[in-house]
Amino acid sequence: MSESLGAPRHEVCNSGTPHTTTRVQRLKLSNVKGVPLPSSICAIFDKTEKFQAKGDDVLIATYPKAGTTWMIEIVDSIRQGGITKEIKTIPSHERAPYLEFNGLNVISTGLDLLEAMPSPRLVKTHLPFQLVPQSFWDKGCKVIYVARNAKDVLVSFYFFHKMNVRLPETGTWDDFIESFLSGNVAFGSWFDHVTGWWDVREKHQILYVFYEDILQDPMREVERVAHFLGHTLDKVTIQEIVKHTAFDMMKDNPMTNASIFPTSILDLSISPFMRKGQVGDWKNYFTVAQNERFEEEYRRRMAETSLRFRTEL
Ligand code: A3P
């Protein structure tokens, strides 16, 4: 047990008082083929399933809070050969539409944005492997899956629930840990998600990338992604991409920091979208008892897989 674990230091995380909002009705979760998804996403899932991918679409798939926005910025910069005017002026969610997203008439659905988008398209999804539309596999699309260690995802997801005023209430921090461990959260079990994609990575064109690796050595990981996508970039361009996609840059960039979303969707006054961008932030929130409980379940759920994560650098 790490010495640095102790009483939680963050008030919000441990207040036990769920945030409520009077402005918007928080959504409930419903099931699609046994996977809990926000009810808005379930409502249009029959259309999502029929999505027709094109051969040059690139799919970025993640469990929520694994670094999706970061990878979108990296891949878009690679595909455009550097930091172009489009990258500087078009919001991330328009450059890489969120496939299954239903904006409930406040903002466009992912499907509508994708329909209107010229090729080559960049597509974002949080779906587990088994729910991804079949056309991606029929067309042999390239997929980049980003995975992040469960403890940092859990903390990040907790704060994201507070500020994404359409996600269900979290309950207390303790409640949310239990919901996460049992997979009763949006997009289901983290364990099933990361292992499901891991198990099929060699059956399709899937590059499996770890958040912790990008943070540790962004030059190497950007180069690896570029190579996978069939791009050769010179060192100066890679350096430019690494600089543009660093946490502090993305935090201040309105195209990536979610500040353009209405507060009826994301309320940044509750928690920033670009929150900390670190490995090991979980230590500031897990008590010793919570960590023991988590580790026990983690060992049980990860016993059969070769997939390994780092929870500190
Ligand atoms: P934290 O809440 O731990 O800070 P997603 O885009 O999948 O929703 O993931 C969001 C998480 O990725 C947030 O984590 C966010 O800060 C982090 N993130 C986004 N851009 C990043 C970057 N350039 N470097 C490091 N972390 C980044």
Side-chain angles (χ1 to χ4, degrees):
M1 185 65 52
S2 162
E3 287 292 322
S4 58
L5 284 180
R9 274 176 257 151
H10 201 288
E11 233 183 82
V12 180
C13 223
N14 293 281
S15 65
T17 315
H19 171 79
T20 49
T21 177
T22 49
R23 277 165 294 177
V24 183
Q25 182 78 38
R26 283 183 176 258
L27 297 173
K28 293 199 166 21
L29 300 179
S30 305
N31 271 289
V32 171
K33 298 176 186 165
V35 179
L37 301 174
S39 55
S40 56
I41 289 180
C42 295
I44 59 165
F45 203 78
D46 53 338
K47 286 193 192 134
T48 307
E49 261 182 328
K50 294 187 195 111
F51 175 75
Q52 286 308 306
K54 298 176 187 170
D56 57 359
D57 287 344
V58 168
L59 182 66
I60 295 178
T62 59
Y63 190 82
K65 313 323 289 173
T68 330
T69 319
W70 193 9
M71 185 52 78
I72 287 170
E73 207 60 12
I74 290 172
V75 171
D76 202 18
S77 306
I78 290 171
R79 284 184 118 190
Q80 299 206 34
I83 315 308
T84 59
K85 188 174 163 222
E86 281 76 17
I87 288 178
K88 286 184 191 151
T89 57
I90 303 175
S92 168
H93 75 276
E94 288 179 23
R95 288 183 280 120
Y98 177 8
L99 175 67
E100 62 273 18
F101 182 72
N102 180 357
L104 296 172
N105 300 322
V106 178
I107 51 177
S108 306
T109 64
L111 291 174
D112 286 345
L113 287 173
L114 285 163
E115 182 96 341
M117 191 175 181
S119 288
R121 302 180 295 187
L122 199 50
V123 186
K124 158 184 163 178
T125 188
H126 289 314
L127 293 174
F129 170 76
Q130 73 275 18
L131 293 186
V132 170
Q134 180 60 34
S135 61
F136 282 99
W137 315 122
D138 293 344
K139 294 280 164 55
C141 295
K142 289 188 179 173
V143 181
I144 297 167
Y145 185 80
V146 189
R148 184 182 190 188
N149 81 78
K151 290 181 190 177
D152 283 328
V153 164
L154 173 49
V155 171
S156 183
F157 211 10
Y158 179 79
F159 285 105
F160 187 63
H161 273 71
K162 300 292 181 197
M163 57 87 85
N164 184 333
V165 293
R166 284 183 173 174
L167 283 174
E169 297 285 5
T170 53
T172 64
W173 168 230
D174 238 346
D175 293 340
F176 194 66
I177 293 176
E178 290 307 319
S179 302
F180 184 87
L181 288 175
S182 65
N184 189 23
V185 285
F187 301 95
S189 157
W190 175 90
F191 300 99
D192 293 346
H193 208 285
V194 295
T195 59
W197 279 95
W198 179 252
D199 292 346
V200 297
R201 71 196 186 285
E202 281 161 7
K203 296 194 184 120
H204 301 280
Q205 295 205 77
I206 298 171
L207 182 72
Y208 205 100
V209 181
F210 295 93
Y211 177 99
E212 294 77 17
D213 289 352
I214 318 175
L215 202 66
Q216 187 175 48
D217 193 342
M219 286 288 284
R220 181 193 63 207
E221 294 303 298
V222 168
E223 221 165 344
R224 191 167 155 246
V225 172
H227 179 75
F228 172 73
L229 295 174
H231 291 261
T232 311
L233 301 175
D234 57 49
K235 200 170 167 204
V236 173
T237 308
I238 294 178
Q239 278 167 340
E240 189 192 20
I241 293 172
V242 168
K243 191 173 164 209
H244 173 78
T245 58
F247 179 78
D248 288 342
M249 292 291 278
M250 286 184 59
K251 190 176 170 68
D252 289 341
N253 179 354
M255 300 301 116
T256 55
N257 66 13
S259 56
I260 59 158
F261 284 98
T263 50
S264 60
I265 297 179
L266 299 180
D267 190 341
L268 302 184
S269 69
I270 297 171
S271 176
F273 180 77
M274 295 286 164
R275 202 181 53 89
K276 290 196 185 169
Q278 295 168 359
V279 178
D281 184 41
W282 61 272
K283 291 180 194 169
N284 294 317
Y285 301 99
F286 280 64
T287 62
V288 171
Q290 285 165 343
N291 193 45
E292 279 171 1
R293 156 88 183 110
F294 194 94
E295 286 288 334
E296 190 190 340
E297 184 65 8
Y298 191 90
R299 271 193 298 277
R300 197 178 71 74
R301 296 297 307 272
M302 300 294 275
E304 304 293 318
T305 180
S306 56
L307 179 58
R308 293 285 175 269
F309 284 89
R310 291 188 290 167
T311 54
E312 53 195 319
L313 290 181

